[in-house]
Amino acid sequence: MPSAYVLINCEIGSEKHIISKLNNLSGIEEVSEVNGIYDVIVKVNSDSIDKLKETITTSIRRIDTVRSTLTLIVIE
């Protein structure tokens, strides 16, 4: 099963808003708020690499207060 970690940099104060939206998406296994350069880390699972990429590009990256992301695809 393809999976990835997505590190999210968001607008100041919007972490809870983003976490709430992420928790409602399918394929999201884990969401954590963190301190540092990135604000939120998400673990995403999917049935295929194409669906995984689609979830990241069309669902996660389009949340209105997301500034940038870094995607780390897990090597199986």
Side-chain angles (χ1 to χ4, degrees):
M1 173 178 285
S3 60
Y5 292 93
V6 181
L7 288 68
I8 300 172
N9 181 272
C10 61
E11 293 180 16
I12 295 171
S14 66
E15 296 86 359
K16 301 292 185 220
H17 167 73
I18 290 174
I19 290 169
S20 175
K21 288 197 172 243
L22 290 169
N23 282 323
N24 291 318
L25 297 176
S26 67
I28 302 299
E29 182 175 318
E30 185 177 345
V31 180
S32 299
E33 184 175 353
V34 296
N35 289 320
I37 295 172
Y38 294 96
D39 304 302
V40 178
I41 295 178
V42 183
K43 185 171 184 188
V44 185
N45 290 324
S46 189
D47 295 334
S48 70
I49 193 72
D50 290 332
K51 287 183 182 178
L52 181 71
K53 290 178 183 178
E54 182 179 336
T55 298
I56 294 165
T57 58
T58 63
S59 298
I60 295 173
R61 295 186 66 190
R62 291 192 182 171
I63 296 173
D64 55 349
T65 54
V66 169
R67 286 186 177 172
S68 64
T69 62
L70 174 67
T71 301
L72 307 167
I73 296 177
V74 176
I75 299 172
E76 295 181 27

